[in-house]
Amino acid sequence: MNNQLYSNLIFELSRPGRMGSSLPKNDFPRHEMPVSLLREHAAELPECDEPTVVRHYTNHSGNNFGVDNGFYPLGSCTMKYNPKINDEIAGMRDFQNIHPLQPESTVQGSLTVTTMLRKILANLTGMDDFTLKPCAGAHGELTGLMIIRSYHESRQDTKRTKVIVPDSAHGTNPASAAVCGLEVVEVKSKDDGTVDLEDLATKLDDTVAAMMMTNPNTLGLFEHDIVRIVEMVHRCGGLMYYDGANLNPLLGVCRPGDMGFDVVHVNLHKTFSTPHGGGGPGSGPVGVRGPLSQFFPTVNPYHGNFLVELRALVYILTLGRENIKQVGPLATLNATYIKERLKDLYELPITALSKHEFVFNGLADKSTGVTTMDVAKRLLDFGFHAPTIYFPLLFHEAMMIEPTENESLETIDAFISVMRQIAQEAQEQPEQVKSAPHNTPIKRVDDVLAARQPILKFPESSTEMV
Ligand SMILES: *Cc1c(COP(=O)(O)O)cnc(C)c1O
């Protein structure tokens, strides 16, 4: 556990004159800086000795939860383990120290990396070409929609301003369409969680630019009508956009290109194991069919997040052509196993066969008053990251679980047994669950207050030099 002495702010640990570094004597001639470039006040930097700095940051790093600490079943996010060999290779000096404006003759190795990755992604998704520039899934969505818009404009078909998005879609889909200046039209899901074709038919006309879908969808369900859907949208002149955040369960089984999608993005930081969280760096390459590659926009002046791309390539090559085919089936097996072992205690609103992730609607017994939020908080006490909660919005107490393919049976069994224990606690001592977490450095936070009155910096007094 953390030593309180070294916690809080580094500024609070500061004492005038303390030093953790010693610089060599400066024997360069002194140059006067223009006054306009000088600070008016000395920078307020903490002054600390080296052990204090090391302990402060080491203790804080221990407060983080990451996929290297424990199981992370965060549905929709594909939080898979990041193999260390990826980082080892991304850490090689020759890769790390390149600059995007270096002469081409000096970066041939790196260009080979990006070319190989583009070809492999095209192969895995059934597309013809990829751009690696987008730096996140949402960035890929915007890029893909810009491609689609340029395609329609190139044919003088400028009345196509609508993008159809299922009601189960990830929030970035409608957001990207809106940012691209397109109008979002929602299509309903049927009770079984898949797209309602009758509702879709009423939305299709010559103003539709595209339909965005992910398959398996956000409930983890394979859209069995996908070929019909693609036909319907193509017949009215729209293009099909594949949100590749759920590509994981397809690896080795099928490809969006074969389902008829025209444009796809892939989240390298999900499907291809590069680290994510905290907002980046990510990578959302976009693939297209045939002549659409002429519409690749410049969404980024250079080559995208190169070291993320390199990690993804290492991951793919480490698995190899045969093993990568196991990813989808194993991710599906792990998720299905958890679902089957917990569905007596947690409400399973959709019982159809699911793929890499599935959704519970809270505890089966609602009489205890224990909510999904409480269960999520209690899991932290046992060293498990919470699943995605209150998303998708189709159920009030949604709890979306995605174990990924690379967890051992022991880890998955331990998670199941904790989930069962929490369900039992909800019956026998609900307060224990409702007041969780008990073992974490920060206890239950007031989400509502935090949203209404966000205090995003420490109060002045605590940052004053002591
Ligand atoms: C994560 C996710 C996105 C967005 O990807 P980012 O890299 O977070 O921008 C889009 N759609 C789905 C289904 C996702 O899970």
Side-chain angles (χ1 to χ4, degrees):
M1 223 29 318
N2 281 340
N3 190 328
Q4 207 50 45
L5 180 61
Y6 302 109
S7 292
N8 306 323
L9 298 179
I10 188 81
F11 289 96
E12 293 170 316
L13 301 172
S14 176
R15 294 294 178 278
R18 289 278 166 82
M19 286 269 273
S21 60
S22 56
L23 297 174
K25 192 166 163 295
N26 179 8
D27 47 14
F28 287 102
R30 197 183 156 87
H31 288 281
E32 292 305 328
M33 295 269 279
V35 177
S36 62
L37 297 180
L38 292 179
R39 290 179 186 281
E40 288 169 9
H41 309 285
E44 290 182 15
L45 299 176
E47 298 176 80
C48 296
D49 53 286
E50 181 170 327
T52 299
V53 173
V54 169
R55 289 170 191 155
H56 172 76
Y57 286 110
T58 305
N59 283 321
H60 271 313
S61 72
N63 287 338
N64 260 344
F65 189 100
V67 76
D68 283 1
N69 297 86
F71 184 51
Y72 213 128
L74 201 65
S76 189
C77 291
T78 310
M79 280 287 189
K80 58 170 85 170
Y81 175 71
N82 321 128
K84 295 300 160 238
I85 187 175
N86 302 355
D87 279 325
E88 214 164 290
I89 292 188
M92 286 166 71
R93 271 222 330 245
D94 291 347
F95 283 130
Q96 266 197 344
N97 293 339
I98 54 170
H99 189 280
L101 297 180
Q102 248 171 264
E104 272 172 31
S105 64
T106 64
V107 290
Q108 290 302 309
S110 300
L111 292 177
T112 304
V113 166
T114 53
T115 306
M116 274 177 83
L117 182 62
R118 281 169 50 204
K119 288 196 175 142
I120 292 175
L121 291 178
N123 209 305
L124 286 169
T125 55
M127 293 288 126
D128 291 315
D129 198 4
F130 260 86
T131 168
L132 301 179
K133 290 187 176 216
C135 292
H139 199 193
E141 291 169 21
L142 177 63
T143 306
L145 290 169
M146 288 167 79
I147 293 168
I148 290 171
R149 198 180 53 187
S150 300
Y151 162 78
H152 291 307
E153 278 170 4
S154 76
R155 308 169 74 237
Q156 269 85 48
D157 197 355
T158 50
K159 61 190 173 308
R160 295 190 181 269
T161 52
K162 291 187 188 149
V163 175
I164 298 181
V165 178
D167 58 6
S168 64
H170 193 267
T172 50
N173 291 185
S176 300
V179 169
C180 198
L182 297 162
E183 187 191 332
V184 178
V185 178
E186 197 174 86
V187 60
K188 287 204 204 77
S189 299
K190 291 180 292 189
D191 288 343
D192 71 2
T194 60
V195 168
D196 183 336
L197 296 199
E198 277 175 32
D199 190 42
L200 176 62
T202 66
K203 313 255 148 103
L204 293 177
D205 58 28
D206 62 1
T207 63
V208 171
M211 175 164 183
M212 300 178 86
M213 276 182 79
T214 179
N215 193 19
N217 67 22
T218 298
L219 295 168
L221 303 172
F222 192 83
E223 298 274 359
H224 287 282
D225 289 325
I226 188 62
V227 173
R228 277 286 313 281
I229 294 172
V230 170
E231 266 173 26
M232 288 165 73
V233 173
H234 280 166
R235 201 176 313 129
C236 85
L239 295 184
M240 286 298 293
Y241 182 91
Y242 181 77
D243 171 347
N246 290 336
L247 185 68
N248 208 43
L250 297 193
L251 283 183
V253 185
C254 61
R255 312 188 302 172
D258 299 335
M259 297 177 206
F261 284 95
D262 304 290
V263 182
V264 315
H265 86 257
V266 173
N267 299 56
L268 297 188
H269 46 285
K270 293 182 181 172
T271 313
F272 297 106
S273 91
T274 71
H276 71 298
S283 180
V286 170
V288 294
R289 284 226 263 202
L292 286 175
S293 62
Q294 65 187 292
F295 302 113
F296 280 155
T298 301
V299 290
N300 173 344
Y302 300 118
H303 306 281
N305 275 326
F306 174 70
L307 292 176
V308 176
E309 296 157 15
L310 176 61
R311 283 180 178 87
L313 180 67
V314 174
Y315 172 75
I316 294 169
L317 295 181
T318 309
L319 283 178
R321 192 184 289 270
E322 284 310 311
N323 290 327
I324 209 161
K325 293 186 185 154
Q326 296 290 320
V327 170
L330 283 175
T332 301
L333 175 65
N334 285 353
T336 306
Y337 177 70
I338 296 177
K339 183 177 82 171
E340 292 300 316
R341 294 275 316 271
L342 290 176
K343 70 179 189 190
D344 56 332
L345 297 177
Y346 291 84
E347 183 191 332
L348 183 65
I350 290 185
T351 53
L353 208 57
S354 52
K355 301 294 175 197
H356 63 303
E357 65 192 2
F358 64 90
V359 179
F360 282 138
N361 186 24
L363 282 157
D365 180 358
K366 301 275 187 288
S367 71
T368 64
V370 171
T371 63
T372 282
M373 174 67 85
D374 302 328
V375 174
K377 296 291 182 192
R378 185 69 177 132
L379 270 171
L380 307 180
D381 281 334
F382 296 95
F384 290 111
H385 196 280
T388 296
I389 57 171
Y390 300 108
F391 178 81
L393 307 175
L394 301 172
F395 311 108
H396 285 307
E397 289 291 323
M399 188 184 283
M400 190 180 189
I401 298 177
E402 177 182 8
T404 79
E405 69 281 5
N406 48 20
E407 296 297 338
S408 67
L409 182 59
E410 290 72 21
T411 299
I412 290 181
D413 277 339
F415 174 71
I416 290 169
S417 107
V418 164
M419 287 289 281
R420 298 191 70 84
Q421 179 180 333
I422 296 173
Q424 192 178 347
E425 284 176 356
Q427 296 289 331
E428 293 165 5
Q429 36 179 338
E431 270 318 305
Q432 175 81 351
V433 188
K434 288 184 185 185
S435 54
H438 307 284
N439 305 335
T440 52
I442 303 231
K443 309 292 177 242
R444 179 80 65 118
V445 289
D446 186 338
D447 290 340
V448 176
L449 188 68
R452 298 251 161 88
Q453 289 175 31
I455 300 173
L456 302 176
K457 65 191 205 32
F458 276 82
E460 284 299 327
S461 62
S462 71
T463 60
E464 258 168 32
M465 300 281 179
V466 188

